[in-house]
Amino acid sequence: MATLQNKTVVVVGGSSGIGFGVALAALQSLASVVIIASSNASRVSNAVERLKSHKLPGEVRGEVLDARDAVAIKEFAAKIGVVDHVAWTSGDLPPGLLDGTTPGQAFYDGAFTVRFWGPYIFVQSARFHPGGSLTLTSGSLDTKPRPGLSATSGVVAALEGLTKGLAVDLAPVGVRVNVVGSGAIWDHFPSEMKESFDQLVKNSQLIGRLGTPSEIAEAYIFLMKCGYITGQRVNVDGGIALA
Ligand SMILES: NC(=O)c1ccc[n+]([C@@H]2O[C@H](COP(=O)([O-])OP(=O)(O)OC[C@H]3O[C@@H](n4cnc5c(N)ncnc54)[C@H](OP(=O)(O)O)[C@@H]3O)[C@@H](O)[C@H]2O)c1
């Protein structure tokens, strides 16, 4: 099996949740350098320490990046230099998923800015080694929309279109682009909500439980390592479409 030996892996959104799981899995897959980035400096340094505590061979670095800031994204791309694989997991869950409120315009502006325009702007300035990859993060609400969250269905559907377009744009320079469709991954939901989420997924998925960051990280690592896949969506969602 291939490893990520001698590869530099960047995880934008690596300070928690899915992104932290991807950063750890990259180190476990022997990546030489793992760079995590997100907007909150103390969360970044805390995550770097947690990654280092695993005492895996690769070097771990952290960068502060507010992905709402286009200039900062371009400076970040220039600063990190030539890289191999980038996973983009930055973004927030819609508040309505947790508390039943309808997310407002500001949330959706932020979602498009960070999840859609962020990676688009990044690749305009990023430099990849040939054979590199970019992996985006969508969700399941376009496959299985939920009441009150129609705009999030739009965000994740847009990400699939962006993935295919960027796969075409970057193919000439030997870079693959894919997207992981996330189901309900348990890491940061408030613990008092776990019971109601457990109940929800029990009734709406074939695999009736929440997923873990390490389970979904497998998909990102596969998409980094497999040189023959581009423009594709890999769903890690407990079989939500078939339930
Ligand atoms: N978990 C799920 O069940 C699920 C399901 C479907 C889709 N998703 C999507 O998958 C993505 C990751 O989810 P998650 O569960 O890993 O969430 P998470 O644990 O909240 O992690 C989100 C990451 O994004 C970073 N971030 C937020 N705003 C940012 C900004 N302006 N600039 C740079 N980084 C920013 C956060 O760090 P800072 O706070 O330090 O910036 C954090 O590292 C999200 O887009 C989410 O909508 C998740």
Side-chain angles (χ1 to χ4, degrees):
M1 294 292 286
T3 68
L4 293 173
Q5 210 159 19
N6 301 322
K7 304 296 182 199
T8 296
V9 174
V10 180
V11 187
V12 182
S15 66
S16 70
I18 296 170
F20 185 86
V22 174
L24 179 56
L27 288 169
Q28 289 166 333
S29 302
L30 306 180
S32 300
V33 180
V34 172
I35 302 169
I36 62 164
S38 76
S39 69
N40 182 307
S42 65
R43 279 161 57 86
V44 171
S45 58
N46 178 281
V48 166
E49 289 316 309
R50 283 188 291 139
L51 288 168
K52 284 182 176 171
S53 73
H54 287 267
K55 303 205 180 307
L56 291 156
E59 179 191 342
V60 183
R61 301 206 308 252
E63 296 286 343
V64 177
L65 168 67
D66 185 347
R68 290 169 298 190
D69 181 343
V71 173
I73 293 174
K74 290 176 193 166
E75 287 171 354
F76 170 72
K79 183 176 180 187
I80 58 178
V82 188
V83 299
D84 293 288
H85 302 291
V86 177
W88 191 287
T89 65
S90 278
D92 296 317
L93 291 175
L97 207 57
L98 302 177
D99 61 16
T101 57
T102 304
Q105 187 64 39
F107 173 79
Y108 289 113
D109 290 346
F112 268 106
T113 305
V114 172
R115 297 176 71 181
F116 183 96
W117 291 115
Y120 177 82
I121 293 164
F122 175 77
V123 296
Q124 312 308 316
S125 309
R127 286 169 295 152
F128 288 88
H129 289 293
S133 72
L134 169 68
T135 305
L136 306 184
T137 306
S138 70
S140 61
L141 285 170
D142 57 337
T143 314
K144 272 276 183 83
R146 290 189 47 207
L149 295 174
S150 52
T152 300
S153 301
V155 174
V156 293
L159 283 167
E160 194 165 341
L162 179 65
T163 299
K164 291 175 183 168
L166 288 178
V168 170
D169 284 350
L170 297 187
V173 291
V175 176
R176 299 171 295 100
V177 184
N178 297 287
V179 60
V180 174
S182 171
I185 301 300
W186 181 266
D187 185 45
H188 59 289
F189 292 159
S191 53
E192 63 272 18
M193 292 185 163
K194 186 170 187 305
E195 206 175 308
S196 56
F197 261 83
D198 277 341
Q199 208 50 48
L200 182 72
V201 297
K202 201 173 269 179
N203 300 325
S204 62
Q205 299 178 181
L206 294 184
I207 301 170
R209 63 168 176 82
L210 295 156
T212 65
S214 66
E215 285 174 317
I216 196 166
E218 297 281 358
Y220 291 82
I221 300 301
F222 161 70
L223 291 168
M224 291 175 195
K225 292 197 305 184
C226 177
Y228 202 52
I229 183 167
T230 192
Q232 300 300 313
R233 168 172 170 163
V234 175
N235 291 325
V236 182
D237 61 6
I240 198 167
L242 302 176

